[in-house]
């Protein structure tokens, strides 16, 4: 692709040399991936600065580079100076891959909890409708029946456009993606042409990044502002908002597009009525502008009722019939690591869930409490290098709803696991004897299994689908589900 053509979307830039006759073979932000003919974009990140690797990119044959500050390098390639290389990267990658999100309907799901389940429910619904969908989320990238690993909940703009282009080439009819607050705030999704934005809920998380909850909400609102002001015929756009969340009014005011609300508690466009909860699943009447149907599914808990409402609302906005929605919801198997039962024939329940915020932990513990015949045990920790203010809140939730809490390591990263546990439990008194601190996560899970008796429930929270534990800067193989299965078998021997 001609570099001059690629730069057309960027309003103002300066070059150190002529770019008229330059062709680029790809766009890269990682100097290790540069090849002869690459356009290298220098991104200033939190831990590394791409400008520091510009010489490496030049030595590997980069055709040109995009910079935002003075550099001292050897080579005669053109340097293109812009104000913000992050914004430029989004524009360049969208242009290079021919604006892929204009080629298919795109749904973005944001919120503290429920993003993954909602995207996979939508994937199931569209599959039942006979469409091939692509999913981008915290577990993996999925295109039809193919799956690919993913590093961030929402990849950077360059990787995102590569994935979108791949989905377009594989003829995806519909794309659904999780959109994190980090991605919105950092511009990873700049240029994405969303047709539908979904808001699940807002509770405390990521305050290591956002300065406060207002800033966290501001970032979430960017998805709905990003739906645009355009009312083209045949291009309807919708904001799907959880009416029961206190943030709903601000988010409605953040968009110029049509708003569809969903609720379990108050009047909304899409509602769940006559909700029946049981250990085997939930049942409710799905009341919508296109009719009412009864849903009976094996998904458990009120939080999953909200997830199903969010998915159903987006499906209705996408012209999916109620019969298809009903069939999909009633036959879904759920998502890995989301209230996932571990069954090895034991007479007590073991459940693994990704809950890693006070609100999500409260949701799954409340659900466990409702169905418990005897004691509820919880194994939970907090991640290192993340929001420290939620640590005592996580412990408080565990103490409130569980009969016995085992506080342990999550992904400590570069922090001392013992200090993380002190942050969680330091305010608890010695009189509160319903908790233990066991830093080693394997030992904590095994201990909970040893304590469990007939009809008890063990909730292992925080890591869910993850198959690793991050200690320092190294990822080690670790799967709560595998550890739990081994512990159950050992106890039964």
């Amino acid at each position: 692709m001609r570099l001059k053509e690629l730069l057309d979307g960027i309003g103002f830039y300066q070059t150190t040399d002529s770019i008229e006759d330059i062709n680029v073979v790809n766009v890269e932000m990682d100097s290790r991936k540069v090849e002869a003919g690459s356009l290298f974009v220098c991104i200033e990140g939190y831990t590394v600065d791409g400008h520091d690797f510009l010489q490496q990119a030049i030595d590997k044959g980069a055709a040109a580079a995009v910079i935002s500050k003075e550099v001292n390098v050897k080579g005669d390639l053109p340097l293109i100076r812009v104000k913000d290389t992050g914004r430029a990267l989004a524009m360049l990658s969208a242009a290079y891959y021919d604006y892929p999100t204009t080629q298919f309907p795109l749904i973005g799901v944001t919120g503290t909890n429920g993003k993954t389940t909602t995207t996979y429910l939508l994937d199931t619904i569209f599959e039942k409708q006979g469409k091939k969908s692509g999913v981008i989320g915290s577990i993996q990238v999925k295109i039809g029946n193919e799956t690919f690993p993913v590093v961030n909940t929402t990849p950077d703009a360059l990787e995102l456009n590569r994935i979108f282009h791949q989905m377009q080439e594989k003829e995806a009819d519909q794309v659904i993606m999780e959109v994190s607050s980090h991605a919105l705030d950092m511009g990873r999704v700049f240029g994405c042409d969303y047709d539908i934005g979904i808001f699940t809920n807002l509770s405390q998380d990521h305050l290591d990044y956002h300065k406060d909850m207002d800033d966290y909400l501001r970032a979430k609102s960017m998805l709905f502002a990003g739906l645009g002001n355009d009312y083209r015929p045949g291009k309807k756009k919708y904001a799907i908002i959880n009416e029961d969340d206190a943030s709903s009014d601000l988010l409605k005011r953040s968009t110029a597009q049509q708003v569809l609300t969903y609720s379990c508690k108050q009047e909304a466009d899409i509602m769940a009525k006559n909700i029946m909860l049981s250990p085997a699943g939930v049942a409710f009447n799905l009341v919508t502008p296109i009719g009412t149907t009864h849903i009976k599914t094996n998904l458990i808990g009120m939080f999953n009722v909200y997830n199903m409402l969010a998915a159903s609302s987006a499906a209705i906005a996408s012209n999916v019939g109620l019969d298809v929605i009903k069939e999909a919801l009633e036959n879904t198997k759920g998502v890995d690591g989301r209230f996932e039962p571990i069954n090895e024939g034991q007479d007590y329940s073991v459940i693994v869930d990704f809950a890693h915020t006070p609100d999500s932990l409260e949701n799954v513990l409340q659900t466990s409490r409702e169905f418990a015949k005897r004691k509820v045990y919880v194994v939970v920790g907090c991640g290192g290098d993340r929001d420290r203010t939620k640590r005592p809140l996580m412990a408080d939730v565990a103490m409130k709803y569980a009969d016995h809490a085992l506080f342990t390591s999550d992904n400590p990263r570069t922090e001392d696991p013992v200090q993380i546990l002190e942050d969680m439990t330091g305010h608890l008194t010695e009189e509160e004897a319903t908790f233990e601190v066991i830093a080693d996560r394997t030992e904590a899970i095994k201990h909970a299994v040893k304590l469990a008796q007939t009809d008890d429930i063990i909730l292992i929270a925080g890591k869910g689908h993850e198959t690793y534990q991050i200690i320092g800067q190294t990822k080690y193989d670790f799967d709560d589900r595998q550890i739990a299965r081994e512990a159950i078998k050992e106890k039964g021997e």
Side-chain angles (χ1 to χ4, degrees):
M1 186 175 187
R2 292 183 65 82
L3 179 57
K4 178 70 173 174
E5 180 184 348
L6 191 57
L7 290 167
D8 278 349
I10 297 178
F12 300 97
Y13 58 87
Q14 298 173 325
T15 66
T16 58
D17 205 344
S18 173
I19 60 172
E20 291 295 334
D21 299 321
I22 293 179
N23 287 307
V24 296
V25 299
N26 58 23
V27 179
E28 295 293 351
M29 56 179 283
D30 184 339
S31 61
R32 294 168 296 184
K33 297 179 180 179
V34 168
E35 57 186 277
S38 294
L39 173 64
F40 180 62
V41 184
C42 300
I43 300 295
E44 295 184 66
Y46 282 105
T47 56
V48 296
D49 185 345
H51 294 83
D52 296 335
F53 298 89
L54 176 54
Q55 188 64 59
Q56 181 179 339
I58 294 171
D59 294 342
K60 294 185 73 172
V66 180
I67 62 173
S68 60
K69 61 185 181 183
E70 291 295 330
V71 292
N72 183 17
V73 292
K74 297 177 181 178
D76 58 358
L77 83 173
L79 300 178
I80 302 151
R81 181 79 177 262
V82 299
K83 184 177 180 180
D84 183 341
T85 54
R87 288 180 184 270
L89 179 68
M91 296 174 183
L92 292 166
S93 55
Y96 183 79
Y97 289 106
D98 196 22
Y99 308 99
T101 61
T102 64
Q103 306 302 313
F104 45 67
L106 178 62
I107 297 174
V109 185
T110 197
T112 307
N113 305 309
K115 295 187 294 296
T116 300
T117 300
T118 300
T119 59
Y120 275 81
L121 288 173
L122 278 165
D123 181 42
T124 302
I125 291 169
F126 288 121
E127 182 181 343
K128 289 293 182 185
Q129 194 189 24
K131 291 185 175 180
K132 182 178 183 179
S133 57
V135 179
I136 304 172
S138 55
I139 295 179
Q140 61 192 6
V141 171
K142 181 174 179 288
I143 308 174
N145 294 320
E146 296 181 85
T147 59
F148 310 90
V150 67
V151 176
N152 296 316
T153 297
T154 312
D156 61 71
L158 179 58
E159 180 64 18
L160 200 50
N161 277 283
R162 281 177 178 158
I163 294 169
F164 287 145
H165 179 67
Q166 186 179 13
M167 289 178 170
Q168 181 187 352
E169 286 188 321
K170 291 180 178 291
E171 300 182 331
D173 301 305
Q174 173 73 59
V175 176
I176 315 126
M177 63 180 293
E178 297 182 45
V179 188
S180 68
S181 61
H182 291 72
L184 288 159
D185 194 59
M186 297 168 71
R188 293 182 198 161
V189 294
F190 284 171
C192 291
D193 185 17
Y194 291 105
D195 297 276
I196 295 174
I198 301 175
F199 169 68
T200 59
N201 49 61
L202 192 82
S203 62
Q204 182 171 333
D205 198 15
H206 304 306
L207 294 190
D208 55 310
Y209 177 85
H210 299 289
K211 63 181 181 181
D212 53 34
M213 288 298 291
D214 287 340
D215 187 53
Y216 184 28
L217 178 57
R218 174 201 58 78
K220 294 293 187 188
S221 73
M222 293 174 69
L223 175 63
F224 304 97
L227 291 170
N229 291 300
D230 190 3
Y231 296 137
R232 281 172 290 168
K235 187 69 172 176
K236 291 181 181 178
K237 296 195 173 191
Y238 293 91
I240 310 293
I241 306 293
N242 178 358
E243 186 71 28
D244 292 341
D245 192 278
S247 305
S248 61
D249 285 343
L250 184 144
L251 295 176
K252 289 179 204 173
R253 297 197 306 271
S254 299
T255 183
Q257 300 300 335
Q258 298 183 76
V259 174
L260 280 179
T261 57
Y262 64 92
S263 170
C264 292
K265 299 177 181 178
Q266 50 196 320
E267 285 300 312
D269 298 305
I270 291 91
M271 300 185 66
K273 292 188 175 182
N274 302 321
I275 301 169
M276 301 292 291
L277 305 174
S278 78
V282 299
F284 60 93
N285 291 333
L286 178 62
V287 181
T288 82
I290 61 172
T292 299
T293 190
H294 184 70
I295 304 293
K296 185 177 181 181
T297 176
N298 59 10
L299 295 180
I300 298 171
M302 274 299 298
F303 56 93
N304 270 321
V305 177
Y306 279 100
N307 293 335
M308 286 185 277
L309 284 177
S312 298
S313 300
I316 290 167
S318 303
N319 298 314
V320 180
L322 279 184
D323 55 337
V324 175
I325 295 171
K326 175 181 172 68
E327 183 182 2
L329 296 182
E330 292 192 334
N331 289 282
T332 185
K333 297 178 181 178
V335 181
D336 288 348
R338 269 59 175 181
F339 216 76
E340 181 179 347
I342 306 300
N343 190 355
E344 294 292 337
Q346 75 276 10
D347 59 2
Y348 50 91
S349 297
V350 178
I351 298 165
V352 171
D353 193 87
F354 190 54
H356 61 286
T357 67
D359 181 62
S360 59
L361 182 63
E362 183 173 30
N363 285 337
V364 293
L365 276 174
Q366 278 184 326
T367 299
S368 301
R369 184 86 268 165
E370 289 169 2
F371 306 133
K373 295 179 180 178
R374 292 190 74 256
K375 289 184 177 180
V376 173
Y377 295 89
V378 63
V379 180
V380 66
C382 287
D385 302 331
R386 297 294 186 268
D387 181 7
R388 294 184 63 176
T389 64
K390 75 177 182 182
R391 293 174 184 174
L393 304 180
M394 291 285 284
D396 289 342
V397 171
M399 296 295 291
K400 180 178 179 180
Y401 291 101
D403 295 290
H404 192 81
L406 294 97
F407 298 114
T408 188
S409 290
D410 190 291
N411 292 317
R413 299 183 177 86
T414 63
E415 285 196 67
D416 179 0
V418 174
Q419 183 57 54
I420 295 173
L421 289 166
E422 175 61 25
D423 290 344
M424 291 184 73
T425 63
H427 65 294
L428 301 178
T429 65
E430 293 182 3
E431 288 74 24
E432 295 175 289
T434 56
F435 75 94
E436 297 175 69
V437 176
I438 303 175
D440 185 287
R441 192 172 181 91
T442 298
E443 291 305 313
I445 292 171
K446 288 183 176 181
H447 185 57
V449 170
K450 288 178 182 177
L451 292 175
Q453 299 181 28
T454 302
D455 292 332
D456 285 344
I457 295 176
I458 302 171
L459 174 69
I460 305 171
K463 289 174 59 59
H465 64 280
E466 293 178 352
T467 56
Y468 57 83
Q469 187 174 34
I470 306 173
I471 302 174
Q473 295 183 347
T474 304
K475 279 188 177 182
Y476 297 90
D477 290 341
F478 194 100
D479 189 329
D480 282 351
R481 297 163 295 184
Q482 180 182 341
I483 301 297
R485 288 190 181 96
E486 292 172 357
I488 293 166
K489 290 176 182 177
E490 287 177 10
K491 182 176 181 177
E493 291 176 352

